[in-house]
Amino acid sequence: MPADPAPGLIIALDGLSSREAVDFSRRLSPGDCRLKVGSELFVKGGPELIRDLQQQGYEIFLDLKFNDIPNTVAAACRAAREMGVWMCTVHASGGPAMLEAAREAAQDELHVVAITVLTSLDDKDLDAVGQRSAEEQVVRLAQLAQQANLSGIVCSAREARQIREACGPDFWIVTPGIRPAATTDDQKRTVTPREAAEAGANHLVVGRPVVQADDPPAAVRSILQELSLAANAV
């Protein structure tokens, strides 16, 4: 199913109330970015918030990280598709049957991408729960998602080159943990927008550097300029 210009910018509306999210969306342009609604914001605003943002002209990335038995995940993906959501997430660790059920429920109308390793985790964290290194784990889970014919995966841009080598040019790589000027917070595996684009990311998720900026439209323009420089450098 993938067929989308790359790299694209997705703004994460994390930490906002439903009203704040809608008001904030009016400050940006759907021609410049898509919007991500995560678990906290969806619990606050529900499907009505999704509709309000869509009415502003935005395509929505619904990041609820589904991980359950195949029938339940399929039903959740079907509901997201019926809401007109552009893309949603499932956990690759849910296994082949769950991933395939999600893909079937999407029916070529909804992009499904699989969470590999959260960008808040590093090798030490993974070792503590008995898993392999972040790079090894991400590549293995990416291959599992590709075998299930998902649109792509979510991973740190630090693993993007390895994913591109393992999964080829048509598999989407969605990268959170993007921090302009290498600023960091609770994300441990971060990169700049240009680094992510040059590593092969298709969609970059940026939250606080835009949402908390004094001038969000200017912050978006700065990131888009960085992405343009990366594209011209290729």
Side-chain angles (χ1 to χ4, degrees):
M1 179 180 175
D4 214 22
L9 179 60
I10 302 170
I11 304 303
L13 301 176
D14 301 330
L16 301 179
S17 68
S18 298
R19 175 63 64 84
E20 288 170 340
V22 173
D23 290 345
F24 183 83
S25 73
R26 296 191 178 106
R27 302 182 65 184
L28 304 181
S29 168
D32 291 334
C33 60
R34 294 174 168 104
L35 300 178
K36 180 178 87 73
V37 174
S39 298
E40 179 186 358
L41 184 54
F42 188 74
V43 169
K44 291 175 180 177
E48 182 178 355
L49 171 63
I50 301 299
R51 288 192 292 270
D52 288 343
L53 295 173
Q54 289 170 330
Q55 287 174 358
Q56 300 295 322
Y58 289 97
E59 291 187 308
I60 303 301
F61 173 25
L62 185 61
D63 184 23
L64 301 185
K65 300 178 175 67
F66 302 134
N67 189 11
D68 211 311
I69 63 173
N71 284 346
T72 298
V73 169
C77 289
R78 190 175 304 111
R81 187 195 80 219
E82 291 170 353
M83 278 194 293
V85 166
W86 164 65
M87 183 165 73
C88 75
T89 49
V90 300
H91 268 286
S93 58
M98 191 200 79
L99 298 179
E100 291 166 8
R103 175 65 184 83
E104 290 174 6
Q107 292 187 1
D108 290 326
E109 298 173 23
L110 166 71
H111 288 285
V112 180
V113 292
I115 302 294
T116 53
V117 175
L118 298 174
T119 52
S120 60
L121 302 177
D122 58 18
D123 286 350
K124 183 178 178 180
D125 297 317
L126 294 173
D127 181 67
V129 294
Q131 293 186 9
R132 62 192 80 187
S133 71
E135 181 178 317
E136 293 176 307
Q137 186 74 352
V138 166
V139 170
R140 178 68 192 97
L141 292 174
Q143 292 171 328
L144 192 66
Q146 187 175 45
Q147 290 163 10
N149 293 316
L150 299 193
S151 292
I153 53 94
V154 180
C155 71
S156 166
R158 292 177 181 270
E159 289 93 43
R161 292 188 190 280
Q162 288 77 16
I163 298 302
R164 200 48 85 213
E165 291 175 3
C167 299
D170 299 324
F171 195 60
W172 279 7
I173 299 174
V174 181
T175 56
I178 302 299
R179 295 291 182 267
T183 57
T184 59
D185 33 60
D186 62 342
Q187 304 282 20
K188 295 182 179 178
R189 299 186 344 271
T190 62
V191 297
T192 67
R194 181 167 182 168
E195 289 171 337
E198 291 176 343
N202 299 96
H203 297 285
L204 283 62
V205 181
V206 182
R208 281 163 281 191
V210 171
V211 173
Q212 296 180 1
D214 292 333
D215 187 344
V220 167
R221 289 194 297 272
S222 177
I223 294 170
L224 292 175
Q225 183 178 23
E226 220 179 310
L227 297 179
S228 177
L229 291 172
N232 291 333
V234 174

